[in-house]
Amino acid sequence: MPISKLLLAVVPALALLPATVRTNRGPAPLRTATLETVVEPPEEPRNTYWCVRHGQSTANVENIISSNPAIGSTKHELTALGKEQAHVAGADLWANLSELEVPLEDVVVYSSNFTRARETAQIAAYEMQRRAQIAAGDWEAPPLLQIGLLSDLRERDFGSLDGLSAGNYDNVWPRDMASPFDGTDGVEPVADVCQRLSNMVDLLEKRHSGKQVILTAHADVIQIFQTWFAGCDVRAFSSYRFANGEVRRCDRAGECLPVP
């Protein structure tokens, strides 16, 4: 099946609606004006998607970029604060799912294989199960949440900037805003991240139906995911930041995007 394309917009910053006139339904998608194209998100997903950013890691404390899978999957684990943030993320997920009356049997958890994301997913899953046990008063046979590892959730590849100061993000994001195809310094272009996330969603949509799918990953990856999934201009992804351990539901209408 051919992959359809989504036109992107070139909209001056002044054209963005000010926060005072935004509704509580979130920012509107930016309008189209260029011929640049990025793979289109699914029109009617069968599942509900939640994104969780990993808790604080040792790489965050060291203020370095950690995007090499060979290193990130074995080092840069969560700090004590990061573990606490992962517990809070699990509690937040449980609160949201309980409000929607979703049983844990309808929840599936996936993670990047990087240590910081994997540990966050494990702790958050434990916290959800613990709270489900308390709510049910059943300590003998709790629902079991297993965690799948998806390579398409891995950290964005920052090329020659890997291992350097995280301050280099401030050089990358303006180039992303100019073009989703920019690959300066060997950095993985936004459009390429969208493509692998599209491949991931295609897989999950075939594998599951009617599930709450929790994706535990990295700031740029889930920020790109939420803007792409909402059909918004992916170049603006860095305007919708995730804090460490933050939980956010993603939707096709962009209603869950925060005001940038």
Side-chain angles (χ1 to χ4, degrees), residues 2 6 39 74 100 125-126 131 137 211 214 238 245:
L6 178 65
V39 62
T74 58
L100 296 172
Y126 160 78
R131 290 173 180 266
K211 299 296 185 182
I214 299 170
S238 58

Side-chain angles (χ1 to χ4, degrees), residues 150-209:
L150 294 174
S151 63
D152 286 330
L153 281 176
R154 67 188 180 277
E155 175 65 285
R156 183 183 183 189
D157 186 352
F158 282 92
S160 62
L161 302 180
D162 183 71
L164 302 183
S165 168
N168 283 288
Y169 291 137
D170 293 333
N171 298 322
V172 175
W173 293 332
R175 296 197 294 259
D176 293 335
M177 183 65 78
S179 171
F181 303 97
D182 188 274
T184 303
D185 295 320
V187 174
E188 184 179 14
V190 172
D192 287 7
V193 177
C194 290
Q195 182 61 66
R196 63 170 156 105
L197 292 173
S198 176
N199 295 341
M200 178 195 71
V201 170
D202 286 346
L203 171 67
L204 296 177
E205 288 292 291
K206 292 175 182 176
R207 183 177 293 175
H208 306 292
S209 180

Side-chain angles (χ1 to χ4, degrees), residues 7 57 60 62 70 83 111 116 119 141 150 152 156 179-180 208 230 234 239:
L7 292 176
S57 71
N60 292 142
E62 294 170 17
K83 292 176 181 178
S111 174
R116 54 192 184 269
E119 289 181 344
L150 294 174
D152 286 330
R156 183 183 183 189
S179 171
H208 306 292
V234 294
S239 300

Side-chain angles (χ1 to χ4, degrees), residues 23-106:
T23 72
N24 59 7
R25 296 171 63 84
L30 302 182
R31 297 297 178 250
T32 57
T34 77
L35 297 178
E36 292 182 321
T37 57
V38 168
V39 62
E40 187 174 330
E43 291 186 4
E44 297 182 1
R46 303 195 301 171
N47 302 289
T48 300
Y49 291 86
W50 300 77
C51 283
V52 182
R53 186 186 174 193
H54 63 79
Q56 184 193 68
S57 71
T58 56
N60 292 142
V61 173
E62 294 170 17
N63 198 40
I64 61 171
I65 296 173
S66 174
S67 68
N68 183 337
I71 297 174
S73 61
T74 58
K75 298 179 61 177
H76 299 144
E77 66 279 359
L78 295 181
T79 64
L81 173 59
K83 292 176 181 178
E84 181 181 332
Q85 291 168 334
H87 279 285
V88 173
D92 193 8
L93 285 165
W94 171 249
N96 280 281
L97 296 172
S98 296
E99 184 176 349
L100 296 172
E101 299 183 344
V102 175
L104 284 190
E105 290 85 352
D106 289 340

